[in-house]
Amino acid sequence: MTEGLAKLFPDWPSWGSFWSTLEFGRESRGLWIVGFVVVFLTATWLSRRDTRSLHPVWKIWLWGLRTGVLVALLIIALAPQERKSQIEPENSRVVILVDTSASMSRQDKDLFPSNGTARSAAVPSRADLVRTLLEKSPLLDTLRKTHDVSIETFDSQVARHQVLRKIESQPSAKTPETAAAQPAAAPAKPIDWGEIVRPRGVETRLGEALLAVIREQGGETLSGIVAITDGGNNAGVDPVSAAELAVANKVRLIPVGVGSTKKPVTLQLAEIQAPTHVHINDGFTINAFVTGQGLARQPIVVELLSKGEQEEGDPVLIQSRDEQLIEDGVPINVAFEYVPSEAGRRLFRVRVRPVNKIAALSDDPVQDDVAIEVIDRKTRVLLVAGGPMRDYQLVRNLLHRDKTIDVDVMLQTGVPGISQESDNVIFQFPETREELFVYDAIVAFDPDWRKIRGETGKTLDLLSEWVFSQAGGLMLVAAEVNTTSLAMANDTVKQEMAKLLELYPVVLDAHRPIDDDEFQQPWPIEFTREGIEAGFLQLTESAATSAAVWKEFPGVYWCFPTDGPKAGATVYAKFTDPRSGARGQPILLASQYFGAGRVLYLGSAELWRLRSLEEDYYDRLWIKMLREIGQGRLLRGTNRGILLLEKTQYPLGSTIQVRTRLLDPQFKEYQADRVTMEVYDPSGKPLTPALSLLADKTRPGHYGGAFVA
């Protein structure tokens, strides 16, 4: 195999030389020469006419002067210059791309039969086989006779580890004098092949790895790529696309298969989806996604066990489901409904086992745990509306029916004595800390903020403090009347409203007039990647079916125009009407952390149109959005610190932004240039070195940092 691989790659020439050439700096040289010839002939004719009566010597002298001037002008016009060129030698290159996904740790016992003896411990893993190939076979030395060899690995990302230079040919014989004159070469640093090929990734992005190598390193000297893999490609683009790009770039792809051709028999609990915090007596769903390999149509039992954090012993079985796997690699969703009756932290365990005895599987069941905090308090919500718009009325009635929520309303067009579906009707925005700080979330449906601000502006300062330091959740719903007045206000008014405008995660567009006649049809919602991954925007339990529902939704007619998001804001969705934003698509849904709190912006008051598909979609969306912005106060935990994350789940390789707010023992803002955060995996092993969170100079007691998942 070693000699065969070496012969598959052409050896691109690597030589060097010097030369110089004469070039002209002027374009269209032909036109200049033609012009010179015309002028030369004209000058010659004039010279003969003007010197007809002179001696021949003087005729030649005057003609020569004119011709010399013309030649000098031509030379200046053509701008001749000497260019020196040099070719630097560059060796042809071969990339050895090694799979380091978790599947490379598998032991293929069918390739190493035991013959009745216990040899399971002696069966090498696929990674061990690759290590032996690179460490002990002559493959690398053979390739290095004609190429530079780059050693790289891939799973979810590509990593370069070592570049082995071409072995230069040595003279066949050396004299003792020559050998003594040459210094001894420094010994090469040994390569830790075990660490390089160690399986570490949960994804095998073979197609993306090949594309990355070809795009970044492709050129005339890239001779080929040796991809050493078990053949799996469970994420990313199809490797066929990479093969087509390789053909276009004249790069040879040589796959080297590792492992057995037989698919292993596996049973896997791929994921458990569950909320982190729920309210007492508020039912919730735990979704377990189970997949298998080599177990198509096999019956399985999926069990849910639970116990309180303070309870002794193992979790107790509370529910059981008889299910059947569909196809290899296709997960099935098993949903468990549970209504907590006691407050406190509870452990839930999902356990999966096959009904029939399968020799290739271990007798131990597949299981995983998830902890959920059950909170014994209601969420207090304040609804503020500039007028009785439809979304306000529907949300008011929805929250009033929810037994886990206490809702107060403030309708600015209302008068004393009106009836509203709520716990309390107020006619003035809270003006003291005692009145405002009891709320977990505030939803503002296009209110007139000038009336709320009052003469002194103290109310907006209090609102900012509630979000910033008390982890309040604020939702701002834009509409045509008051939000337009706020966006198009003069500089004096905007200065008065600075505390409020600071809370918006987007920049409101003050330049484009809004014409209702333009919005005569619905336009679908375009979700960003963050919006697709946001759990609080899912209309169903499954992300796939939720995405299908959103595609079925016709959309909204109108969205407030924006000038883009603020720094640090997360955009979830945009409005797709191309006429509605001169500066790009208006932002329909976005959020930002403001201190310890969260602000969610909704650019249209037309979510009620979701009810045309199903009322439950609308109800579910609003409840989850309120839970999302209000969880900051529910999750405050210790009074001296809070950790803030954008979301609860991150894909492998993504950057996790972490923010924290800390208080000292006297409950004042903690003062330090940086603090240290340690990250551990579920087994208690440090996941990364200690992470330094740097102080936010504009917000005392706040620190931020990031690490890669």
Side-chain angles (χ1 to χ4, degrees):
M1 183 185 76
T2 299
E3 296 294 336
L5 283 175
K7 293 178 180 178
L8 285 172
F9 301 119
D11 180 18
W12 301 102
S14 57
W15 47 273
S17 62
F18 297 86
W19 73 91
S20 62
T21 57
L22 182 64
E23 295 182 354
F24 296 95
R26 184 74 65 181
E27 298 291 337
S28 305
R29 293 187 298 274
L31 294 177
W32 283 95
I33 294 174
V34 171
F36 170 79
V37 172
V38 172
V39 174
F40 172 77
L41 293 176
T42 303
T44 301
W45 178 78
L46 292 173
S47 178
R48 291 185 60 187
R49 189 192 67 178
D50 296 340
T51 60
R52 187 175 303 168
S53 60
L54 297 178
H55 190 275
V57 174
W58 289 107
K59 290 181 180 181
I60 296 173
W61 171 251
L62 294 175
W63 176 83
L65 290 176
R66 292 184 179 184
T67 303
V69 171
L70 292 176
V71 171
L73 292 175
L74 177 63
I75 293 174
I76 294 173
L78 294 178
Q81 54 191 1
E82 182 183 12
R83 179 184 294 274
K84 293 184 178 181
S85 303
Q86 175 183 354
I87 292 182
E88 293 291 343
E90 187 174 355
N91 297 327
S92 58
R93 296 173 293 126
V94 171
V95 176
I96 294 184
L97 195 60
V98 180
D99 187 350
T100 54
S101 61
S103 60
M104 294 294 288
S105 63
R106 186 169 294 138
Q107 296 173 310
D108 299 293
K109 298 181 181 180
D110 59 310
L111 298 180
F112 301 89
S114 61
N115 296 326
T117 61
R119 292 181 52 195
S120 60
V123 176
S125 66
R126 296 175 181 178
D128 293 335
L129 296 176
V130 177
R131 176 181 179 179
T132 302
L133 172 68
L134 298 176
E135 190 174 34
K136 298 182 179 180
S137 78
L139 171 63
L140 295 179
D141 291 338
T142 305
L143 290 174
R144 291 178 64 194
K145 291 178 181 178
T146 51
H147 312 280
D148 288 344
V149 180
S150 177
I151 307 298
E152 304 183 17
T153 60
F154 76 96
D155 35 67
S156 61
Q157 294 179 328
V158 179
R160 177 182 292 187
H161 297 274
Q162 194 88 16
V163 177
L164 305 177
R165 298 299 179 185
K166 176 182 175 181
I167 301 176
E168 301 296 338
S169 58
Q170 301 294 332
S172 57
K174 293 183 179 179
T175 63
E177 293 80 4
T178 304
Q182 293 181 349
K189 184 179 179 180
I191 302 175
D192 188 355
W193 292 111
E195 177 60 25
I196 290 177
V197 304
R198 177 177 59 86
R200 55 177 68 89
V202 298
E203 292 181 327
T204 307
R205 295 180 177 264
L206 175 59
E208 290 185 7
L210 293 173
L211 287 175
V213 172
I214 296 171
R215 289 170 178 168
E216 295 174 7
Q217 305 184 43
E220 293 185 356
T221 61
L222 180 58
S223 182
I225 302 173
V226 180
I228 305 178
T229 176
D230 58 6
N233 186 72
N234 56 22
V237 301
D238 192 334
V240 175
S241 301
E244 294 173 351
L245 182 62
V247 172
N249 286 269
K250 299 181 180 179
V251 177
R252 293 191 178 185
L253 292 183
I254 309 300
V256 177
V258 183
S260 173
T261 57
K262 294 182 179 180
K263 291 185 177 181
V265 179
T266 59
L267 181 63
Q268 181 183 5
L269 182 57
E271 184 182 2
I272 299 177
Q273 292 183 354
T276 58
H277 292 72
V278 297
H279 289 79
I280 192 170
N281 299 320
D282 189 7
F284 63 93
T285 303
I286 297 177
N287 291 281
F289 293 87
V290 184
T291 185
Q293 191 78 36
L295 298 173
R297 307 300 174 186
Q298 285 289 333
I300 60 173
V301 177
V302 185
E303 300 170 330
L304 179 66
L305 302 89
S306 177
K307 74 165 189 173
E309 187 177 44
Q310 305 300 326
E311 298 177 8
E312 300 291 338
D314 295 329
V316 178
L317 177 66
I318 55 176
Q319 294 183 44
S320 179
R321 297 277 192 277
D322 293 328
E323 302 288 343
Q324 186 181 60
L325 295 173
I326 307 173
E327 300 177 10
D328 287 347
V330 178
I332 63 171
N333 179 17
V334 183
F336 296 98
E337 300 289 340
Y338 186 80
V339 179
S341 57
E342 297 180 358
R345 190 174 181 85
R346 291 196 68 82
L347 175 71
F348 292 88
R349 176 174 297 169
V350 178
R351 188 166 63 192
V352 185
R353 55 183 174 82
V355 173
N356 304 319
K357 175 69 175 178
I358 299 176
L361 288 179
S362 170
D363 293 334
D364 297 329
V366 179
Q367 61 186 28
D368 200 2
D369 297 339
V370 61
I372 299 176
E373 188 78 29
V374 182
I375 301 170
D376 187 13
R377 70 184 288 271
K378 291 185 176 183
T379 302
R380 293 209 59 181
V381 178
L382 172 62
L383 301 184
V384 182
M389 61 181 63
R390 187 173 302 187
D391 258 340
Y392 159 74
Q393 297 181 52
L394 294 173
V395 173
R396 177 201 62 197
N397 296 342
L398 167 66
L399 301 185
H400 185 61
R401 294 193 305 266
D402 195 306
K403 302 302 182 184
T404 65
I405 296 177
D406 285 338
V407 57
D408 296 346
V409 300
M410 174 186 165
L411 181 62
Q412 290 183 307
T413 57
V415 295
I418 63 170
S419 176
Q420 297 283 293
E421 297 290 328
S422 64
D423 293 284
N424 294 292
V425 179
I426 63 177
F427 296 94
Q428 188 167 351
F429 195 84
E431 295 183 338
T432 64
R433 289 181 173 83
E434 292 76 16
E435 293 175 339
L436 181 60
F437 288 7
V438 298
Y439 293 108
D440 300 311
I442 297 176
V443 184
F445 291 94
D446 192 38
D448 186 347
W449 290 103
R450 290 173 299 179
K451 294 181 179 178
I452 294 176
R453 179 185 181 276
E455 295 294 332
T456 63
K458 179 182 177 182
T459 306
L460 295 184
D461 294 340
L462 199 61
L463 177 65
S464 178
E465 180 186 350
W466 172 76
V467 177
F468 187 87
S469 63
Q470 297 298 312
L474 176 63
M475 186 169 181
L476 300 166
V477 182
E480 298 90 331
V481 182
N482 294 311
T483 308
T484 303
S485 300
L486 178 64
M488 303 184 70
N490 56 40
D491 293 340
T492 302
V493 175
K494 287 187 175 181
Q495 186 65 31
E496 296 173 351
M497 296 291 178
K499 286 287 187 180
L500 173 66
L501 293 173
E502 188 181 17
L503 293 171
Y504 276 83
V506 301
V507 179
L508 301 176
D509 188 351
H511 302 88
R512 188 178 189 278
I514 299 173
D515 187 355
D516 291 340
D517 294 337
E518 296 182 12
F519 305 99
Q520 300 298 322
Q521 69 179 69
W523 291 85
I525 298 174
E526 179 183 306
F527 286 95
T528 63
R529 179 177 178 179
E530 291 77 10
I532 295 173
E533 296 175 352
F536 71 93
L537 296 179
Q538 290 186 9
L539 302 179
T540 64
E541 295 296 340
S542 168
T545 56
S546 175
V549 173
W550 277 117
K551 287 183 179 180
E552 183 183 355
F553 178 50
V556 297
Y557 284 70
W558 179 89
C559 179
F560 198 91
T562 58
D563 273 346
K566 292 182 180 177
T570 301
V571 178
Y572 299 110
K574 295 183 178 181
F575 186 49
T576 56
D577 185 352
R579 305 164 302 169
S580 59
R583 293 172 173 80
Q585 290 179 304
I587 296 173
L588 181 66
L589 193 64
S591 77
Q592 72 171 356
Y593 282 106
F594 187 79
R598 184 89 171 269
V599 182
L600 186 66
Y601 168 81
L602 180 60
S604 175
E606 297 182 29
L607 286 185
W608 56 266
R609 298 184 187 277
L610 264 175
R611 293 165 60 89
S612 63
L613 298 180
E614 190 172 324
E615 290 187 14
D616 287 346
Y617 296 154
Y618 180 83
D619 295 350
R620 179 186 178 90
L621 176 63
W622 270 100
I623 291 295
K624 294 185 73 172
M625 286 194 300
L626 284 172
R627 297 273 195 235
E628 180 73 12
I629 64 172
Q631 67 177 342
R633 289 174 62 83
L634 297 178
L635 307 184
R636 281 182 294 179
T638 172
N639 291 328
R640 291 185 52 200
I642 179 173
L643 279 173
L644 302 171
L645 299 173
E646 288 285 347
K647 47 192 175 182
T648 57
Q649 291 188 350
Y650 292 84
L652 188 70
S654 63
T655 300
I656 300 177
Q657 298 286 345
V658 182
R659 297 174 59 251
T660 183
R661 175 177 180 260
L662 302 175
L663 303 176
D664 62 18
Q666 288 72 42
F667 292 93
K668 297 181 180 179
E669 305 294 349
Y670 185 75
Q671 300 292 331
D673 291 335
R674 65 184 65 216
V675 295
T676 301
M677 184 182 76
E678 298 177 350
V679 184
Y680 298 87
D681 67 12
S683 65
K685 178 182 177 182
L687 191 61
T688 64
L691 180 67
S692 290
L693 303 182
L694 300 179
D696 186 340
K697 301 300 183 182
T698 63
R699 299 174 179 178
H702 287 254
Y703 300 83
F707 66 95
V708 177

